[in-house]
C-alpha cells in the first residue's frame, strides 16, 4: 500500500538503525517539520542523485529511509536541531511538488530471507575485515570509524559497516538498495577489500615519503 511521506534530500545516506544529526534551517524544511509535528508523523531521508542540498530542486534516488525522530530542539529562528534514527527503507513510486518540500508516494521495503549459515559466515568475514579496515585508518592518522564493539546481529552489522565506511554516496546508496542481509554483507565485504587495498597503497606511499624526508 502506498503511503505519502515528506522527503528531505541530503548529500548522504541514512541507514536503518543508524543515528544522524540534522540542522533544519531552510524555510521549506521548517514548514515540513511544522507539518510533521502537527500531524504527529515524520519524514524520509533520501540521498541526492543530482542537484544541490540547498537552494534549487534536488533529484533524489528512488530508495530512502524513514527518519525516526529521537531528539528535537526548536531554535529561536524557527529552525530545528534533530537527532534521528533510521527506520524502514522505502521506494519512491511518485513525487509530488505541491508542497514547498518534496512529498513521495512510497512503499516500504523488507529484506528477503537468507539461510542463517550463509549470513553468519559472511558476518564473521565482515567483522574481521572491518576491524582490519579500522586499524588501517588509524595507521594513516584518521579517526576510528567505530569506537565501540561491532554487533553480533548480522542485519545491524551490515548497516553499521555500510554507514561507517568512508566511501562515496553512490556506493552507500547501492548498499541501502540491497534487499537482503547476506547480499548486503557480501557487498560490504567486497568494498572493505577494495578500500583495504587502497589504504595499503596510501600507507606505503606515506612511509616512502617519511623515509625520503629523513634522508634530506
Amino acid at each position: 500500500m502506498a503511503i505519502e511521506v515528506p522527503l528531505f534530500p541530503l548529500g548522504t545516506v541514512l541507514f536503518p538503525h543508524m543515528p544522524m544529526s540534522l540542522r533544519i534551517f531552510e524555510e521549506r524544511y521548517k514548514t515540513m517539520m511544522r507539518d510533521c509535528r502537527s500531524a504527529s508523523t515524520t519524514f524520509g531521508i533520501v540521498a541526492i542523485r543530482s542537484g544541490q542540498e540547498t537552494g534549487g530542486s534536488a533529484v533524489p534516488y528512488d530508495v530512502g529511509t524513514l527518519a525516526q525522530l529521537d531528539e528535537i530542539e526548536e531554535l529561536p529562528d524557527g529552525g530545528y536541531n534533530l537527532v534521528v534514527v533510521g527506520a524502514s527503507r522505502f521506494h519512491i513510486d511518485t513525487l509530488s511538488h505541491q508542497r514547498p518540500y518534496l512529498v513521495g508516494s512510497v512503499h516500504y521495503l523488507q529484506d528477503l530471507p537468507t539461510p542463517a549459515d550463509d549470513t553468519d559466515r559472511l558476518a564473521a568475514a565482515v567483522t574481521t575485515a572491518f576491524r582490519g579496515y579500522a586499524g588501517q585508518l588509524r595507521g594513516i592518522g584518521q579517526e576510528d570509524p567505530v569506537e565501540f564493539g561491532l554487533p553480533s546481529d548480522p542485519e545491524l552489522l551490515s548497516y553499521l559497516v555500510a554507514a561507517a565506511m568512508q566511501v562515496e554516496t553512490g556506493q552507500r546508496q547501492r548498499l541501502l538498495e540491497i534487499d537482503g542481509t547476506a547480499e548486503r554483507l557480501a557487498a560490504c565485504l567486497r568494498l572493505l577489500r577494495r578500500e583495504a587495498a587502497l589504504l595499503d597503497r596510501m600507507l606505503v606511499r606515506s612511509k616512502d615519503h617519511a623515509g625520503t624526508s629523513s634522508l634530506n
Side-chain angles (χ1 to χ4, degrees):
M1 182 179 70
I3 301 169
E4 286 201 340
V5 174
L7 299 177
F8 188 26
L10 285 177
T12 189
V13 175
L14 175 65
F15 289 96
H17 310 295
M18 297 296 109
M20 180 182 286
S21 298
L22 298 172
R23 174 74 184 271
I24 305 295
F25 61 90
E26 279 194 81
E27 289 301 324
R28 54 182 167 169
Y29 297 122
K30 292 178 185 178
T31 301
M32 181 191 76
M33 274 300 300
R34 290 194 293 270
D35 290 349
C36 286
R37 297 185 80 182
S38 175
S40 298
T41 58
T42 186
F43 56 90
I45 289 179
V46 283
I48 295 170
R49 186 196 302 272
S50 62
Q52 301 297 319
E53 229 176 72
T54 57
S57 298
V59 178
Y61 285 97
D62 292 334
V63 174
T65 305
L66 197 67
Q68 179 181 324
L69 295 168
D70 190 42
E71 297 178 21
I72 303 175
E73 178 191 2
E74 191 165 356
L75 302 173
D77 65 356
Y80 297 86
N81 285 329
L82 306 177
V83 176
V84 302
V85 177
S88 301
R89 296 181 306 126
F90 59 79
H91 182 277
I92 301 170
D93 299 319
T94 58
L95 286 171
S96 168
H97 297 268
Q98 294 182 350
R99 300 290 298 156
Y101 49 85
L102 278 177
V103 175
S105 177
V106 312
H107 67 270
Y108 291 113
L109 301 171
Q110 293 186 340
D111 275 9
L112 301 173
T114 310
D117 288 349
D118 292 348
T119 305
D120 291 343
R121 174 181 54 81
L122 284 163
V126 167
T127 297
T128 300
F130 188 78
R131 284 175 179 156
Y133 171 72
Q136 287 177 301
L137 288 177
R138 290 193 298 271
I140 60 171
Q142 295 193 29
E143 187 177 343
D144 191 332
V146 178
E147 296 177 359
F148 44 85
L150 294 172
S152 58
D153 177 74
E155 181 190 4
L156 182 55
L157 175 69
S158 74
Y159 285 127
L160 187 148
V161 170
M165 278 191 289
Q166 298 181 10
V167 296
E168 56 272 19
T169 299
Q171 292 284 3
R172 293 174 185 268
Q173 180 66 28
R174 281 188 279 277
L175 294 173
L176 180 69
E177 294 178 3
I178 294 173
D179 289 327
T181 298
E183 188 181 349
R184 190 179 308 110
L185 285 168
C188 284
L189 189 57
R190 289 192 295 272
L191 269 178
L192 284 167
R193 287 171 174 165
R194 186 197 76 172
E195 291 301 301
L198 292 172
L199 287 170
D200 273 342
R201 290 200 287 273
M202 288 179 65
L203 281 166
V204 169
R205 284 200 300 269
S206 66
K207 287 176 182 177
D208 288 347
H209 179 72
T212 302
S213 298
S214 66
L215 292 173
N216 293 334

